[in-house]
Amino acid sequence: MNSVTYASAAPHLRRPAQRSGVLLDSFQDLDRAAATPATVPAAGNPAAPGDGQLLCANKVFKSYRQNKHIIPVLRGVDFSIRPGEFVAVVGQSGSGKSTLLHLLGTLDAPDAGEIHFEGNRIDNLPSQARDVLRNRYFGMIFQFYHLLPELTTLENVLAPKMIGQGVFRYWINKRQHQEEARHLLDLVGLSHRLNHKPKELSGGEMQRAAIARALVAAPQLLLADEPTGNLDRQTGQEIMELLQSLNRRQNLTIVMVTHDQTIAALADRTVRLVEGLVERLA
Ligand code: ADP
Ligand code: MG
């Protein structure tokens, strides 16, 4: 059991109160409950670095070493996202989109530059603190879902709870966790697939399960790497509608990487990576 909390590893950080609106009954209920829409900057109007950002990357550099060659990927990227924004990161294949997302999610560390979450530097946290950050504050989804094949849909969604709390604490509150997981699976339209294993699900259903898993800790931020990249257009559209609903109705902040312009156009704002830098819009 991991006894180190993100806050104890970085005591200046405190978990903000859970957003109101999370864990409502269905998208229909969410529609009705959406009394206060998310405040987002106008599309195409990048937020300036500084106060009020949820996540901020400042002059981030990243290279990979392959044999004797150094492959520079990010060459001083600036990126920021405000609470409640839905930002798409686009760029050609190999432009460093996944690399940037991994750095933002502390899955990897930059060679230079800094990443801040709620004003606190996170790229240099010890690995246990980064584990806690990812388990409780960030949700992540990927092109190939990364569900555990041995587990059912419900168990996959519960897995982060068990990992985050440890088996004993998880077991004490098992009933409540299961209720929350069922509720989330209902929210993403999967309540009829609770006991299916991933191989018994369609691609769209697997991504819905992965989204429910990413949301189980009520994260502040969803990081999505090509979430529609392995889906047909119609199913991809449905997943995008789900992400848009989570953003607009539950105020979930989302960074989504995609190479697909049509998909990116559904976000509030687009950031393009070109030659290792964020392209400046004219
Ligand atoms: P994108 O997601 O935009 O397609 P990536 O961030 O995955 O691009 O990769 C950017 C570049 O870095 C590519 O040229 C890729 O081959 C290279 N790269 C990514 N990960 C590694 C790694 N672990 N080792 C070496 N090169 C890598
Ligand atoms: Mg990629």
Side-chain angles (χ1 to χ4, degrees), residues 8 16 45 57 87 93 126 131 135 167 169 185 196-198 210 264 278:
S8 70
N45 181 19
V87 175
S93 177
D131 290 346
N135 185 264
V167 175
R169 268 186 60 206
L185 283 163
H196 284 55
K197 300 258 175 82
V278 170

Side-chain angles (χ1 to χ4, degrees), residues 92-270:
Q92 289 186 336
S93 177
S95 61
K97 303 183 295 297
S98 295
T99 300
L100 176 62
L101 203 77
H102 291 174
L103 297 181
L104 295 177
T106 71
L107 288 167
D108 203 353
D111 301 330
E114 296 184 2
I115 297 171
H116 294 251
F117 176 64
E118 295 185 317
N120 302 289
R121 190 167 176 191
I122 58 168
D123 59 278
N124 61 355
L125 287 174
S127 75
Q128 276 186 311
R130 283 187 277 121
D131 290 346
V132 174
L133 189 64
R134 287 194 301 272
N135 185 264
R136 307 211 187 136
Y137 295 77
F138 297 168
M140 296 197 190
I141 56 171
F142 303 93
Q143 179 174 355
F144 295 104
Y145 328 118
H146 296 334
L147 297 171
L148 294 170
E150 312 300 328
L151 303 185
T152 65
T153 302
L154 184 63
E155 290 164 347
N156 263 289
V157 174
L158 286 166
K161 283 276 184 197
M162 198 181 290
I163 292 165
Q165 303 207 339
V167 175
F168 183 66
R169 268 186 60 206
Y170 169 82
W171 199 255
I172 289 174
N173 298 313
K174 189 179 171 202
R175 201 177 281 264
Q176 188 196 332
H177 296 320
Q178 289 199 333
E179 213 169 283
E180 286 174 7
R182 282 204 183 89
H183 196 89
L184 278 172
L185 283 163
D186 190 31
L187 194 70
V188 301
L190 268 193
S191 44
H192 58 311
R193 295 284 186 267
L194 298 184
N195 296 312
H196 284 55
K197 300 258 175 82
K199 68 172 188 286
E200 298 159 349
L201 300 174
S202 70
E205 287 172 335
M206 282 193 272
Q207 196 57 290
R208 285 172 189 274
I211 291 170
R213 180 183 57 184
L215 297 179
V216 76
Q220 303 296 303
L221 176 70
L222 182 72
L223 299 169
D225 194 353
E226 305 270 6
T228 63
N230 206 39
L231 303 173
D232 61 69
R233 185 147 291 280
Q234 171 64 30
T235 311
Q237 187 72 31
E238 288 167 15
I239 292 297
M240 280 307 296
E241 284 167 16
L242 176 57
L243 294 179
Q244 279 184 314
S245 295
L246 292 165
N247 168 250
R248 292 187 183 156
R249 296 165 188 162
Q250 304 216 40
N251 207 26
L252 181 67
T253 312
I254 303 177
V255 182
M256 178 187 68
V257 158
T258 180
H259 66 276
D260 185 329
Q261 296 292 340
T262 321
I263 292 291
L266 298 170
D268 298 320
R269 175 161 71 85
T270 298

Side-chain angles (χ1 to χ4, degrees), residues 7-29:
S8 70
H12 51 296
L13 289 166
R14 289 286 176 265
R15 184 176 176 78
Q18 184 170 318
R19 297 176 312 281
S20 60
V22 172
L23 300 180
L24 292 180
D25 287 324
S26 65
F27 280 131
Q28 286 70 38
D29 287 348

